[in-house]
Amino acid sequence: MATLSQLKQRIDKLIEYQGEDSPVAAFIYTKEDVVQYDDDGNEVEIEDDKIIEDVLFNVEDTDYVYNVIQDVIEDELKEVVS
């Protein structure tokens, strides 16, 4: 898991190496995305930062997300290149 400041540093380096107009697809999840819903469907904010950090760390640490994205990239390449 990274902080927004760390993410900004990574993005700045990517811009430096690849240029400002380099294409990108990105998915960013922050603490505002880690929510629960009550029985009435109302959003319930999680106020414990440790829980939020654990959830976001586990999301970033899972290979499943990366594998699905790579599968989509491969499928799109087959479609676009052929």
Side-chain angles (χ1 to χ4, degrees), residues 24-41:
V24 64
F27 303 90
I28 299 173
Y29 289 85
T30 67
K31 65 182 184 177
E32 291 181 355
D33 298 300
V34 181
V35 297
Q36 290 182 311
Y37 297 91
D38 65 18
D39 293 337
D40 296 325

Side-chain angles (χ1 to χ4, degrees), residues 22-81:
S22 183
V24 64
F27 303 90
I28 299 173
Y29 289 85
T30 67
K31 65 182 184 177
E32 291 181 355
D33 298 300
V34 181
V35 297
Q36 290 182 311
Y37 297 91
D38 65 18
D39 293 337
D40 296 325
N42 298 314
E43 194 173 284
V44 177
E45 182 179 351
I46 298 174
E47 296 179 9
D48 186 336
D49 285 344
K50 177 67 173 134
I51 292 172
I52 293 169
E53 288 174 11
D54 288 348
V55 168
L56 290 174
F57 175 81
N58 289 330
V59 167
E60 181 180 50
D61 197 43
T62 182
D63 288 338
Y64 174 76
V65 174
Y66 297 108
N67 290 337
V68 170
I69 291 171
Q70 188 58 43
D71 288 346
V72 171
I73 289 172
E74 289 174 9
D75 290 346
E76 289 299 317
L77 278 172
K78 287 177 188 173
E79 197 170 304
V80 173
V81 174

